[in-house]
Amino acid sequence: MPAPKAYTSALYHFMSFLDGITYSPDDTTVNFSADRLASITADDVVHYFNFKAYGTPEPRVNDLPKKCRSSTLSYHKKAISYFMPRQNMQW
């Protein structure tokens, strides 16, 4: 069963953030290897979520999240987790 398009889009945005390369969700030739996905750390995810919420990977203590809501981050976590090779790993 293919991944939902919204999940694929979330993964491509995340990987674009990590790799510094713009991946298009419409490009069907892009394929992330299981090794590449397994190399993602919890810190990578935290930096990405900080970037999405605060606009910077490392916000200051007094910064407020103005870019997105916690429910948006929760959805992105679910979407990214869909592609992880070790599904039972705790994040």
Side-chain angles (χ1 to χ4, degrees):
M1 179 160 96
K5 186 162 177 91
Y7 281 18
T8 304
S9 179
L11 176 69
Y12 280 33
H13 285 112
F14 175 58
M15 296 305 287
S16 293
F17 172 80
L18 287 181
D19 296 342
I21 300 169
T22 302
Y23 298 111
S24 171
D26 298 324
D27 185 1
T28 58
T29 62
V30 176
N31 189 10
F32 301 109
S33 69
D35 289 339
R36 174 64 181 115
L37 293 174
S39 71
I40 294 170
T41 66
D43 287 338
D44 293 334
V45 176
V46 168
H47 285 146
Y48 176 65
F49 286 173
N50 282 340
F51 179 75
K52 287 204 62 76
Y54 296 96
T56 180
E58 300 201 15
R60 295 183 305 254
V61 174
N62 295 331
D63 287 347
L64 298 174
K66 296 183 179 181
K67 303 283 185 178
C68 71
R69 295 176 180 222
S70 62
S71 58
T72 303
L73 296 179
S74 181
Y75 177 80
H76 280 273
K77 179 191 175 291
K78 178 181 174 183
I80 292 167
S81 294
Y82 178 87
F83 297 97
M84 293 299 117
R86 292 181 286 225
Q87 292 281 328
N88 296 330
M89 183 175 153
Q90 291 292 323
W91 284 91

